[in-house]
Amino acid sequence: MRIALLQLGSRLADPEANGKVIESAYREALALGAQLVITPEMAVPGYLAEDRMWEPRLRQRVVAETERLLSLAGPVPLVVGTCSPAPSGRLWNELRWCENGNVRAIVRKRILPVYDVFDESRYFDADTGRQPLVDHLGEKVGLSICEDMWADASLVASPIHYPFDPIAELAEQGATLVLNASASPGALGSYVPPSCSAPWAVPSKLSMRRTLLSGHAAKHGIPVGYACRVGSESWLTFDGGSGLALPDGTWQTDKHFEEGIVMVDSKVQGRPWPAEPSEGAYLRRALGMGLKENLAKQGLEGVVIGLSGGIDSAVVAAVAAENLDPRRVLGVALPTRFTSSESLALAEEQARATGIYFLTVSADAPFEGADQSLRAIFPERSFGLTDENIQSRARGMLLMGLTSEPDVHRMLGTSRVAVLNTGNKSEAATGYFTLYGDGIGAFGILGDCLKARVFALARELGTVPKGVLERKPTAELRPNQTDEASLMPYVQLDAILGALLEAQRQEETLSDDLAFFLEGEALAQARAALPRILRLLRSSEFKRRQLPFALKVSPWAFGRGRRIPLTAV
């Protein structure tokens, strides 16, 4: 059977626009010889419009657009992901098998995830009954939706265990083919330093899906198809990866981060599973897609980036230039009296390398004004942390000011301009940033990337100057300042944070866990620093709450998926 897996994006709460995309893809699939067409999960309303799903008018529009798609379906079935009202007042997350203008079957999601970023029981009811098989071209087709595939404890290393396995039940009913419609966010695994490994490290989402799909296919002796959405919604990035797993361990197709029709055939030999991309290559595509789609969906067209001459801002500028028109990107150097000539030169070099606009705006004047105001009431005050924070906030104030400046609008050709945050996860974890200073921005490209991954992305991009790559990170808020002197070497810090935050290792085991990543003096220093890093992590929770949202690319990110009360840190 030739099956068209529609690897589509969506616009949240815009069923009419999504329906037009589905209609066009269905017709294209027919021209390609498809004998069955299936969309991703919730393709009509988009996954997931959150509390907009309570709006009566939106629910009515979803039902109407689903009915319209039903009327278009001919003898080649269209299995469409949508939702409908449930008796409880919530919704059913469902697939509708549409054929010859009729609904042959409705299959509803049975397992609702309520971990990490997911909170599906807020919006949906789980169907407690077994789902019907559909006879089609000699196959008994079993349909499932996203999390229904993640319930086999032998295939999923998770502390959450479900009471039944929907895929096994479909196989027991006699399914000869299983298709899964998903909206599964992508992510790298927990951070592991190069050339290291740990038995407790969390694998990437790509690796997990391979284990699941090939495991179900081999265990039940039937092909298992997977249709997943692509695109980005707020902090989530969906990488697609639709394809067909065969019982012999082979796989058909390999398409990520792009919309399209993935054609598979249940009777055709597959090929070995492809190798995973490098971390830098994955981040380049995921973060680029997330930036581009978030700006478009929020109605933003131009960006302003503070260029410090350091690695983080250089990478943000490079990603922005690659995924937007460089003429819509403005890089800004914001020197104070402590800024070195090297920083200014590297910032300008980065702008030239990426073809973006560049300005130098002095942040020393507002810093000096604030200093004079404070000296008027505290004549004997001396330079300290207050002055460092004022410099950072002066820079933030100027960056925000540029977003509404008419001359900047003329330069970028749009008035829809926002600041991009340039902070990374290592800084966010330890509170090593200034609220309302370098903590500003519409959202953060690197906010879920530890420093080591920022460097991996920089090397992958190829447009970050050598001088930036080789320079010691510094905020230059006082003479001779370096980040690693203020914190600790990033090699050690990222080893701690990779185990603690991303692999969710317990504090009691951290000292032993670090031996998988470090040795000798570096290991001793990291172990000695553990109490301080844990203290910084807890005490900066209130600061992280005020950071812009970050694109999620790790198993465990700050924000929606990590809910720590401010009063229980």
Side-chain angles (χ1 to χ4, degrees):
M1 186 191 300
R2 286 178 57 76
I3 307 162
L5 310 171
L6 303 187
Q7 185 164 290
L8 306 176
S10 63
R11 292 194 67 88
L12 296 185
D14 194 347
E16 296 82 8
N18 297 332
K20 289 178 182 178
V21 172
I22 294 169
E23 178 184 355
S24 176
Y26 175 63
R27 298 192 188 285
E28 185 179 347
L30 296 183
L32 294 172
Q35 297 170 299
L36 176 63
V37 182
I38 183 170
T39 78
E41 173 186 19
M42 293 281 286
V44 175
Y47 184 92
L48 179 63
E50 297 186 293
D51 280 6
R52 290 210 60 193
M53 298 307 300
W54 293 109
E55 297 175 11
R57 178 57 184 150
L58 177 57
R59 293 185 175 202
Q60 293 165 7
R61 290 167 57 204
V62 171
V63 170
E65 186 60 27
T66 303
E67 290 295 322
R68 190 187 74 82
L69 291 171
L70 164 65
S71 69
L72 298 173
V76 174
L78 170 62
V79 181
V80 62
T82 187
C83 61
S84 66
S88 68
R90 294 187 183 89
L91 296 163
W92 297 116
N93 182 341
E94 62 191 26
L95 294 174
R96 294 197 169 204
W97 183 297
C98 306
E99 187 176 338
N100 291 318
N102 296 305
V103 176
R104 278 193 63 189
I106 297 176
V107 168
R108 290 167 174 154
K109 194 169 187 176
R110 304 187 66 196
I111 293 181
L112 305 179
V114 288
Y115 57 85
D116 193 23
V117 298
F118 304 108
D119 193 11
E120 289 198 4
S121 61
R122 180 181 178 92
Y123 308 104
F124 303 111
D125 282 340
D127 194 335
T128 58
R130 290 198 171 206
Q131 304 300 301
L133 302 181
V134 184
D135 291 320
H136 183 61
L137 300 182
E139 300 278 10
K140 292 185 179 296
V141 183
L143 301 174
S144 63
I145 303 175
C146 206
E147 194 75 7
D148 293 350
M149 184 176 68
W150 294 75
D152 186 333
S154 68
L155 301 176
V156 182
S158 170
I160 297 173
H161 300 291
Y162 298 117
F164 61 93
D165 178 3
I167 305 301
E169 289 190 2
L170 291 173
E172 290 167 4
Q173 290 171 239
T176 59
L177 169 68
V178 167
L179 299 178
N180 180 272
S182 283
S184 176
L188 294 170
S190 60
Y191 173 69
V192 174
S195 304
C196 295
S197 63
W200 38 261
V202 177
S204 70
K205 203 67 170 289
L206 290 175
S207 177
M208 290 182 188
R209 292 192 202 121
R210 173 179 176 172
T211 298
L212 273 173
L213 290 163
S214 61
H216 282 304
K219 186 173 184 177
H220 304 299
I222 54 177
V224 178
Y226 175 72
C228 185
R229 70 154 294 183
V230 291
S232 181
E233 308 293 354
S234 300
W235 53 86
L236 298 178
T237 56
F238 301 88
D239 54 11
S242 306
L244 184 73
L246 299 166
D248 62 2
T250 59
W251 172 250
Q252 290 181 23
T253 84
D254 181 32
K255 191 171 187 175
H256 294 90
F257 295 110
E258 55 184 296
E259 288 191 272
I261 297 173
V262 177
M263 295 297 298
V264 297
D265 195 319
S266 60
K267 301 301 183 185
V268 173
Q269 177 67 40
R271 60 182 177 81
W273 286 75
E276 287 193 40
S278 67
E279 288 194 350
Y282 182 92
L283 290 171
R284 184 177 189 174
R285 300 194 72 181
L287 298 179
M289 178 186 70
L291 168 63
K292 191 171 184 177
E293 291 215 3
N294 266 283
L295 288 179
K297 291 175 179 179
Q298 295 183 51
L300 299 171
E301 298 174 329
V303 295
V304 175
I305 302 166
L307 286 181
S308 67
I311 187 73
D312 299 318
S313 62
V315 167
V316 171
V319 172
E322 184 173 80
N323 291 277
L324 311 174
D325 183 339
R327 292 171 297 179
R328 290 290 176 90
V329 183
L330 170 61
V332 185
L334 298 148
T336 68
R337 65 197 64 180
F338 302 113
T339 302
S340 67
S341 58
E342 179 188 21
S343 295
L344 293 174
L346 287 173
E348 187 170 5
E349 184 180 353
Q350 180 65 55
R352 287 199 307 270
T354 52
I356 65 175
Y357 289 107
F358 179 74
L359 293 176
T360 298
V361 181
S362 174
D364 214 46
F367 168 51
E368 178 66 27
D371 178 57
Q372 290 178 5
S373 294
L374 289 175
R375 287 188 184 279
I377 54 174
F378 304 121
E380 304 302 319
R381 72 179 300 273
S382 58
F383 184 93
L385 179 61
T386 301
D387 302 86
E388 294 183 32
N389 288 338
I390 289 173
Q391 289 175 78
S392 182
R393 288 170 182 145
R395 289 169 174 161
M397 176 189 68
L398 289 169
L399 288 174
M400 291 301 297
L402 289 171
T403 65
S404 56
E405 183 63 29
D407 285 336
V408 171
H409 297 167
R410 284 189 284 272
M411 180 188 297
L412 299 181
T414 178
S415 61
R416 301 290 296 163
V417 181
V419 174
L420 289 185
N421 183 266
T422 59
N424 63 62
K425 190 175 188 175
S426 302
E427 294 169 348
T430 53
Y432 193 66
F433 61 92
T434 303
L435 277 177
Y436 326 121
D438 55 339
I440 66 162
F443 61 94
I445 298 178
L446 303 178
D448 195 29
C449 295
L450 295 174
K451 194 75 169 187
R453 284 180 166 163
V454 177
F455 275 97
L457 176 54
R459 290 188 288 269
E460 173 68 25
L461 289 163
T463 53
V464 176
K466 182 180 179 182
V468 174
L469 287 167
E470 295 178 348
R471 189 183 190 204
K472 289 185 177 181
T474 173
E476 291 190 312
L477 298 176
R478 63 176 183 269
N480 303 315
Q481 180 187 38
T482 65
D483 292 357
E484 293 192 332
S486 299
L487 281 171
M488 63 184 299
Y490 279 113
V491 171
Q492 300 169 24
L493 178 60
D494 287 354
I496 293 171
L497 298 177
L500 176 65
L501 291 178
E502 298 186 347
Q504 291 290 283
R505 299 296 290 172
Q506 298 300 309
E507 294 180 14
E508 294 77 13
T509 68
L510 269 179
S511 183
D512 292 335
D513 293 337
L514 290 175
F516 287 96
F517 299 158
L518 303 169
E519 58 185 15
E521 184 64 22
L523 176 60
Q525 291 175 356
R527 284 173 168 169
L530 275 176
R532 176 173 174 250
I533 299 304
L534 292 170
R535 184 172 64 253
L536 288 173
L537 177 66
R538 293 193 181 98
S539 64
S540 55
E541 191 67 38
F542 81 99
K543 294 180 68 177
R544 283 189 294 273
R545 286 288 185 95
Q546 300 180 68
L547 280 174
F549 77 86
L551 296 171
K552 183 182 186 300
V553 289
S554 78
W556 209 255
F558 293 125
R560 174 71 174 272
R562 185 178 182 273
R563 307 181 192 184
I564 304 297
L566 296 180
T567 51
V569 295

